[in-house]
C-alpha cells in the first residue's frame, strides 16, 4: 500500500542552524502539506502546496520557513535559522484532492526535530 | 476561527467495554471530518473519514457519526482491546483545505 515517507526520523540541531526536512508523498497525489506537533500540544497546520506554489500558510509559517518540490518526488521543508521553539514533530501529508469532501490526507511517520 | 475540542482528555477502560469518544467543532462549514490514531511518538493513522453530507461511517469495530449542524462527532469503539490503547485525534477539513485538529483523547484499555 502506498505511503508517505519522511527522512530523517530524528534530527538534532543547534539553535541558529538551517535544517531541511524531507518527504516523499504518495506518487499520484497532487496536494502536499506540512503540520507540526509540539510535545503535548495539538497538531497544527503549517502550509499547503500545489502546482509548485504555496496554497495557504499559517501564522507560524514565517520568513524562516520555506517549502520546495525540488524534483518529481520529494517535498521539503526548510527552516533557515532554527529556534528552541521550533522543536517539535513535523508531519508531511499528501492528498489527491483539496477543496472537496473526498480530501483524505495521508500522513507520514514524522520527523522529530530537537533544537539545542 | 474554527476550534476543535475533544472530551474526555483521557479515558481508561477494562478490556471488552464499548466506549465513545467525543469531538466538537465551532464552525459547521467543513468538507469532512477525519478520526486518526496516534501511538506514542509515532505518526497519524487515518481511521475513518466522514464526508460533510454523511451521518456515519463504519470500519470493523469502529463507528463514527457526524452531526454537522450541531458541530459534533463521536467515535464508538466496540469490544475494546488492549491494542486499541493510543491517542485518538479528531480533525475537520476547513474551507481552505487544511485540517484543524483537536487535542486528542488518550485511551488506555486494561487487560
Amino acid at each position: 500500500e502506498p505511503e508517505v515517507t519522511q527522512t530523517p526520523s530524528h534530527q538534532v540541531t543547534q539553535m541558529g542552524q538551517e535544517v531541511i526536512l524531507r518527504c516523499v508523498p504518495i506518487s499520484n497525489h497532487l496536494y502536499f502539506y506540512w503540520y507540526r506537533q509540539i510535545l503535548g500540544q495539538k497538531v497544527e497546520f503549517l502550509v499547503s502546496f500545489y502546482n509548485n506554489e504555496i496554497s495557504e500558510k499559517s501564522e507560524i509559517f514565517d520568513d524562516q520557513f520555506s517549502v520546495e518540490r525540488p524534483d518529481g518526488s520529494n517535498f521539503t521543508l526548510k527552516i533557515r535559522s532554527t529556534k528552541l521553539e521550533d522543536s517539535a514533530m513535523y508531519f508531511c501529508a499528501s492528498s489527491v484532492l483539496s477543496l472537496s469532501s473526498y480530501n483524505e490526507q495521508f500522513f507520514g511517520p514524522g520527523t522529530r526535530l530537537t533544537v539545542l | 476561527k474554527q476550534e476543535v475540542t475533544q472530551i474526555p482528555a483521557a479515558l481508561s477502560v477494562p478490556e471488552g467495554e464499548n466506549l465513545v469518544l467525543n469531538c466538537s467543532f465551532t464552525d459547521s462549514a467543513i468538507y469532512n471530518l477525519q478520526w486518526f490514531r496516534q501511538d506514542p511518538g509515532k505518526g497519524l493513522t487515518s481511521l475513518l473519514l466522514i464526508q460533510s453530507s454523511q451521518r456515519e461511517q463504519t470500519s470493523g469495530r469502529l463507528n463514527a457519526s457526524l452531526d454537522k449542524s450541531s458541530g459534533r462527532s463521536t467515535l464508538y469503539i466496540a469490544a475494546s482491546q488492549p491494542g486499541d490503547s493510543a491517542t485518538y485525534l479528531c480533525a475537520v477539513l476547513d474551507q481552505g483545505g487544511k485540517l484543524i485538529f483537536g487535542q486528542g483523547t488518550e485511551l488506555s484499555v486494561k487487560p
Side-chain angles (χ1 to χ4, degrees), chain A residues 33 35 37 41-45 48 56 89 91 98-110 112, chain B residues 3-4 31-32 34 36 38 41-44 46 49 51-52 89 93-99 101-103:
Chain A
Y33 313 84
Y35 294 81
Q37 186 178 33
Q41 297 188 23
K42 291 184 179 185
V43 176
E44 306 171 283
F45 168 79
S48 56
E56 186 175 352
M89 181 77 100
F91 294 109
S98 177
L99 303 180
S100 162
S101 61
Y102 296 93
N103 176 344
E104 182 173 11
Q105 295 183 19
F106 294 86
F107 281 73
R112 180 165 297 285
Chain B
E3 295 281 345
V4 180
Y31 281 108
N32 64 40
Q34 282 186 254
F36 293 88
Q38 185 176 31
K42 302 293 185 184
L44 308 178
S46 180
L49 180 148
Q51 295 169 26
S52 59
L89 301 176
L93 189 71
D94 77 357
Q95 294 295 293
K98 65 182 180 290
L99 287 170
F101 283 83
Q103 74 273 33

Side-chain angles (χ1 to χ4, degrees), chain A residues 37-104:
Chain A
Q37 186 178 33
I38 295 171
L39 190 63
Q41 297 188 23
K42 291 184 179 185
V43 176
E44 306 171 283
F45 168 79
L46 292 178
V47 66
S48 56
F49 190 85
Y50 168 71
N51 199 27
N52 284 316
E53 289 185 354
I54 290 175
S55 304
E56 186 175 352
K57 59 184 181 180
S58 71
E59 294 171 352
I60 304 167
F61 195 90
D62 61 21
D63 292 345
Q64 293 300 310
F65 291 87
S66 62
V67 289
E68 192 179 29
R69 188 151 162 86
D71 53 43
S73 58
N74 290 283
F75 178 50
T76 63
L77 174 69
K78 182 193 289 187
I79 309 175
R80 284 190 188 79
S81 178
T82 50
K83 308 184 190 77
L84 295 176
E85 55 264 37
D86 294 327
S87 294
M89 181 77 100
Y90 287 79
F91 294 109
C92 173
S94 67
S95 65
V96 175
L97 300 170
S98 177
L99 303 180
S100 162
S101 61
Y102 296 93
N103 176 344
E104 182 173 11

Side-chain angles (χ1 to χ4, degrees), chain A residues 37 40-43, chain B residues 4-11 20-24 34-38 44 75 86-91 100-108:
Chain A
Q37 186 178 33
Q41 297 188 23
K42 291 184 179 185
V43 176
Chain B
V4 180
T5 304
Q6 292 184 247
I7 53 171
L11 182 62
V20 175
L21 308 181
N22 296 290
C23 172
S24 62
Q34 282 186 254
W35 282 94
F36 293 88
R37 170 185 172 134
Q38 185 176 31
L44 308 178
L75 179 67
T87 296
Y88 290 81
L89 301 176
C90 161
I100 310 294
F101 283 83
Q103 74 273 33
T105 293
E106 186 176 352
L107 174 65
S108 175

